[in-house]
Amino acid sequence: MKIKIIALLFVVVGWSSCSDFLNYDEVSQYTEEQVFTNFDRTKSFVTNIYSYLESDFCSIDGAMRASGCDEAVHVWNSSNIHTFTNGTWSPLNTVDDVWAYNYKGIRAANFYLAKGTGRLFEEYKYADGYANNMLRYNNYEWEVRFLRAYFYFELVKRYGGVPLITKMLTPEEANNTARASFDECVKFIVEECDTVAKYLPISYGSNYNTETGRVPRAAAYALKSRLLLYAASKLHNPENDVEKWKAAAKAAKLVIDSAVVFKINNLQMYELIPNNINCAEVIWDRREGMQGNFEKLNFPIGFEGGNTGTCPTQNLVDAYGMKTGTYSLTAPYTNRDPRLDKTVVLNNTKWAYNETVEAWEGGNSGLPKTGASPTGYYLKKYLVKDVSFKPSGNTSFLHTWVMFRYGEILLNYAEAVNEVFKNPNMKDAEFTKTAIEVLNIVRRRTLVLMPNIATTTTYDDFVEIVRRERFVELAFEDHRFWDIRRWMIGDKTTDIYGMKIVKDGTKFIYTPQKIATRVWDDKYYYYPISQAELNKNKKLTQNPGW
Amino acid sequence: MKATSIISKALLGLSLCFCFEAMEAKDVVGFVKNKYGEPVAGAIVRSENNATKITFTNKDGMFTLGIENGERIQIESVDYSKITVTPTDVNNIVLDKTTYAVQMGNGLIQSKKESTASVGLITSDDIMKSSSMLLGNALYGRGLGLTTLQNPGFPWGDNPSVFVRGRNTITTNSPLVLVDGIERPLNSVVREEVETITIIKDAPTLALYGMRGSNGVILITTKEGIFNGSQIDVSYDHGFITAKEMPEMVDGPTYAKAVNEAQTLDGASMLRFNDAELKAFENGQFPNYYPNVNWLDQIFGNKAYQNIYNITMRGGGQKVRYATVVNLQNYTGMIKPTNTLEGKSSQLMSSKLNVRTNLDINLSKTTNFKIKVLGSLLEYNRSGTSETDFIPLAYNTPAIAMPINTSTGEWGGSDTWKKNPVAEVAARGYGKSNARTLYADWTLKQDMNKLLKGLSAEARFAFDSYAQYWEQVSQTYRYERNTMKFDLAATKPDSLAVLPNSYVATIFGQNSIPTYSTQVSSQWRRLNAFGKINYNRIFENSKLDANLILQHDQYVQTGQHQTYNRQSIAAYLHYGIKDRYFVDGSFTMSGSNRLQPGHKFGYLPAIGASWIVSDENFMKSIEAVDYLKIRASHGLTGSDYVTEVNLWEQTFGTGGSYYFGQDISKSVSGLAEQRTATELLKPEISTKSNVAMELRMLKGLELTVDLFYEKNSNILVSSEGGISSIIGVGNAYENAGIVSNKGIELSLSYDKKVGDFYYNAGANFTFYKNKIINRNEEFRQYDYLKRTGRPVGQIFGYQAIGFFADQTDIDNSPTQMFSNVMPGDIKFKNQNGDEVINSYDQVALGYNTDCPEIYYSFFVNVEYKGFGLDAMFQGVGNYTSYLNTNSIFWGMRNSYYNISQHLYDNRWTPENQNSLYPRLTTLENANNYNTNTVWLADASYLKLRNCEIYYRYKLNKYGITGIKTFVRGTDLLAFNKFNVVDLETYSKSNSGAYPNSSSINVGMTVSF
């Protein structure tokens, strides 16, 4: 009898002690040690940091940031993009709120810099390609530091000064960190750019396994150029301190002077800039791989698969100059700056599927059809014409977003040096080219060949000319939205115009008309910080006016 | 250690104890009656310890059985389902609800009288009053403490939502569903297989379910064999199903006018339709270009059919008892369009075959062996576009969108509305699914009296498997878009002039060759091992039932991190003194692989007590009271719910990818830091207390009152609400959430038999109120914004105070920060007194949308000489619905949804400012379309769930012993607070639903 009881007890004890069963777990993840002792995994950790880079292929709720300023109108009312312009923007109702997103990138970078650097991967010492791998590995540190600086740039252009974090925070620290000033942030980013530029390679050749797409040296200088230009502009330089303009001009000049070394000096045919990883003019791009979603979102309604999204405004179209002759409403698109036709889909021209765009009233892509462009224009730049949503079509084409290109740097220089001398025709030993000379390089690019700017142009005229040139040359490359802010001309961009197009027999009657008046408030120069963030971190302060 | 080795150890342990013993017996004579004092004939009377000692009562209810002194007698009667009693007075054994043997799970069976537990009971009779194909849909209003809520969809596909005692946590609240003690889906068995369902609600019994018990348990017990001979029931049930309360959508001309009206109110400069076009919609002269199609009518018919065929065979003798159920159901739905693929159907159809065999075998005088096996085949058929895709199209596509077919015979198409609803159903191929289920369990029970008097052991092993396999034939169709233009100058009021050469027809898409694909869409398997040692003794003045219970469960589903391993060991003690005072104690140690290593086990103690007051001497004199019991319980139950696996570890996993190099067609994957580690992960614990009273009076009146309070703590909540996002990494979870829940459950019934006349009426009522005590809520500017202190799921939104009358009204009101407002938009109440209306002006509104606080039902059953009437009403209260269904309530807007006639008739217009709903708009209008009181409705209802007239006839010819025929109505009547559409159907998703239906069933059962 006793034996039986003992046997039963065994069953009981055996039952409760088999803990392996309860430790069952399908491991799919790595520990910190596993990540940073293996070259490939360390590389993957850096790859993830790159993935936080943004592009604007309709990144805001299906709309481009361009539709948040006078560059374009987003046709669908449901998109959050309208929050920028309809007066509902507030700390409780944010839009394009990338605060947390960029801090994720910054955290990943800080993590890498704290834990991932200084490794030797000794286990792999005798493996093939060790030296090459170490060359690449040692460069990661500079890439990551640049990326972190870039994420800060994304934040400061929106919010002004932000908490400057260069280590991994604990929850307590996160809730107790105040904002640094705008100037402190600028100083940090510039210093980082200067430091990493010393180490970053000019290009990623075979010793780097030809991994183009990583940060090249010129990108660090280009970021510095753009940042210092922003910092010198009215919004951040209300006293108009000329030293700031000098710094901006110098930063641009540095890129221009080294352009041949960086192999970026060759201004290409205008239409070859987007979606082209081999464009010589492009300093650095954000790569999106093969896709067709941008076309889905922007092909005109009435085209198979098209849904209309970004509709360029008459305000933009008006900014394009005449190449020859004078402007006429009966043929408003004849003899215009050739860049217009590369940027905007014009009425009654051939577009995707080699079909004609009928943007006139009653046309296949015209009002009053639901989803038809209210401006009479559709977006062309960055769209791949060959994308096809027909059943047998190919919806997958290369997309890359231009982060920096030489054309922008030239415009940065032209704008800054005009401010340094208060004269677009002046140069000196330091600034060896005049603003007009440099601007003309842009205007005279291959197959654009717009007339040169007259040397009689005054400082004030040139301010307008360079602004217009930026609007045109950099259209839909995510510049206008920020330029409006740094120039503080928001209140002058509220009237939005479109083109009313009526078909009369075989002719068209064009009538520009105002289609919207947008809300502007001077507090819009900075984004509001989300109220939820202010609630969690009592040391954070809100931007003025919000 | 592996599961199998444990089982073998257990079996070895049992086999050591096989023993045989002969005892000296003496004859006992007894009488069995029912509650009306009538003798119960044919009841089985047997020794509890020796299944071979068995006899039956005669027509006077008398039996004679030879038993050993002190041995208990069990009495089973088919008429009372399966009742086991342990009578003390053999001369007057009364079978009624207190003697009812309640299945408590874990092999515990207690008579209702002795139990200290709070349970809800549903019998086979109850659920056979329904004709539903899904077991879950037979449970409305049944089982005190069970909230069963209908979900929209198909009679064969959509399970109801079930809650035991409402909500008590902010994580998952699904009760544990067991079939014969093993976790199995509620709807895998059919009604005909079920003997009883027990709803287990309080701590001592729930604690035994370890980390699975805190949401309550629904325990389904299937039919077993019977002792006396055999019984065969053959039945057929045919249902005529009718769609009801389909919302009416506006016709084409009205929709076109509504679009122009909306644009005018939006301030648009150009209207979508000119006068000629409006007229063309009106007169239908150009159906290719200006169509008018009622899509709902084109997609849905209003009739469907169901058939249920069933054969139940039960019988057996002293050695072997058996029960076999063969059940075949099929359903043919309401989908109208015919499939363009020859011989294939677009119809929503299902058929299901369940074959169950339960065997109960006495291997020896002391050894009992049970086998239960269910095999089930389930088939679905649908069109190539799944119902979740085409049903929204049927509601959301306006009448003017496109013709079904153009005059050339092509499918009609449109720029704005993209998809042709009829073509989507008819011309996209078809889909078919086959699901196979096998459940099998084996139980071996060994009497070990020889070893120790009152000792027995039980071991059970179960293996379940399920797989669903989809095959799909897909194709695309080509369609034509037509446009034409009117010559407005030449158009006169009575004649439309068309511009010459303005007809354009463009073909899009293509008729593709059908492509075939298959996949296993889901599968799972479960292994369950269960062992129990039981010590059961009756002493002079007391009785003891002690159990040691071991359980081991493995559930493996398709996909990663879908293996659930759980173990528990529990002691359960039931002790009674003088048949009046009972105490239950349970102690459970339960572990799960979801919990943190080193802390995998939770310890769950619980106690319960009951006192049968009516058996006290001082109560004997009170004639009116037949039975009075007071009971109470308190203890802990657990839940191993986690938001994701391995929360206690900081890990590095998949991050964002990027493109490097010259070939950028392929991305390189990244590796990222994942959310930070949770410091000490603990199981969620629910502390439950219950007090109750059970009363029977006047030989028919029964009242049960249960009061309970439960508090769930250690609920997993994110710490995100309190940590600034500049930390840059996902936050850990904390076991910091606390929710309390309290409630009352009332059950009242009365039954009486006067000669041939029998009647029975009763009601159940439950009221639950829960409260979030802590959930690591983010900072809130105002107290009224706080979710803490409110019930789980409390709706927050804006209080509408009318519609803006005109621009002056807008100018004089605080700015509403959602979108531009125009006259006719909703005006909100300013809650904080500042200058603007923004998210600070949200307040708690109504109740919640997923579980009503009040749930009740009442029923009546009258029978005279075999003719009977049976009806059951069920209702809910303190329940709210969103009226945000696209097209029906949120019409038109930015995506050009359809609009319902109800919405159109009740919209704001400058002429009708006293409307229910705001103006129409073609814009998104975030001001109107958010959570606010305009779009909330009281979802209370009272429904006549079942109502039947039946006739029972007993005869003894041609081998037939009885016939029952019935006519039964399901959901024939409904009283809704909001009576525009049935909110149970249309509020659960915002994109329309398969029509709700009522049905008339006719059926017949023939017994042999």
Side-chain angles (χ1 to χ4, degrees), chain B residues 308 471 566 667 948:
Chain B
I308 303 173
E471 60 178 57
R566 295 181 175 109
S667 64
E948 73 171 75

Side-chain angles (χ1 to χ4, degrees), chain B residues 639-830:
Chain B
S639 166
D640 63 359
Y641 172 82
V642 287
T643 48
E644 57 185 288
V645 296
N646 299 358
L647 280 176
W648 55 88
E649 286 176 344
Q650 157 95 70
T651 53
F652 294 79
T654 312
S657 58
Y658 205 77
Y659 303 85
F660 296 118
Q662 287 304 104
D663 172 16
I664 73 164
S665 60
K666 282 192 279 300
S667 64
V668 190
S669 62
L671 198 58
E673 184 191 15
Q674 311 290 308
R675 47 113 190 90
T676 51
T678 297
E679 283 207 351
L680 175 58
L681 180 72
K682 291 178 276 190
E684 185 176 328
I685 296 292
S686 176
T687 310
K688 296 181 194 289
S689 312
N690 195 86
V691 291
M693 181 198 77
E694 292 169 21
L695 175 70
R696 278 196 301 128
M697 291 177 73
L698 309 168
K699 305 271 182 248
L701 186 70
E702 290 194 21
L703 173 71
T704 305
V705 185
D706 267 82
L707 294 167
F708 74 90
Y709 177 82
E710 52 192 16
K711 187 165 159 183
N712 282 32
S713 46
N714 292 351
I715 301 171
L716 263 189
V717 285
S718 170
S719 50
E720 193 178 307
I723 301 174
S724 169
S725 58
I726 63 172
I727 195 167
V729 65
N731 296 126
Y733 286 83
E734 281 179 75
N735 287 108
I738 303 172
V739 173
S740 71
N741 183 28
K742 59 190 171 191
I744 180 166
E745 294 168 346
L746 281 171
S747 159
L748 183 69
S749 71
Y750 186 71
D751 68 328
K752 187 108 187 163
K753 203 168 181 182
V754 185
D756 289 332
F757 189 68
Y758 168 80
Y759 65 94
N760 177 12
N764 281 347
F765 174 87
T766 60
F767 175 70
Y768 306 122
K769 191 101 199 160
N770 67 68
K771 189 165 104 175
I772 300 169
I773 295 172
N774 185 32
R775 48 164 268 182
N776 271 15
E777 187 171 356
E778 60 181 281
F779 172 82
R780 303 278 184 191
Q781 204 75 26
Y782 300 96
D783 277 352
Y784 59 79
L785 292 168
K786 284 186 182 155
R787 273 59 173 169
T788 308
R790 305 271 182 186
V792 175
Q794 171 68 53
I795 300 166
F796 278 81
Y798 304 98
Q799 239 175 311
I801 49 169
F803 305 105
F804 286 111
D806 47 34
Q807 192 58 43
T808 328
D809 192 6
I810 296 171
D811 295 341
N812 294 335
S813 307
T815 315
Q816 306 200 158
M817 298 289 285
F818 309 105
S819 59
N820 272 339
V821 290
M822 304 284 270
D825 283 339
I826 307 173
K827 189 171 169 180
F828 298 118
K829 187 173 173 196
N830 196 346

Side-chain angles (χ1 to χ4, degrees), chain A residues 171-178 536-539, chain B residues 724 726:
Chain A
E172 292 69 35
E173 288 167 338
N175 286 352
N176 285 291
T177 305
K536 290 184 235 181
N537 179 353
K538 292 295 174 197
K539 294 229 170 111
Chain B
S724 169
I726 63 172

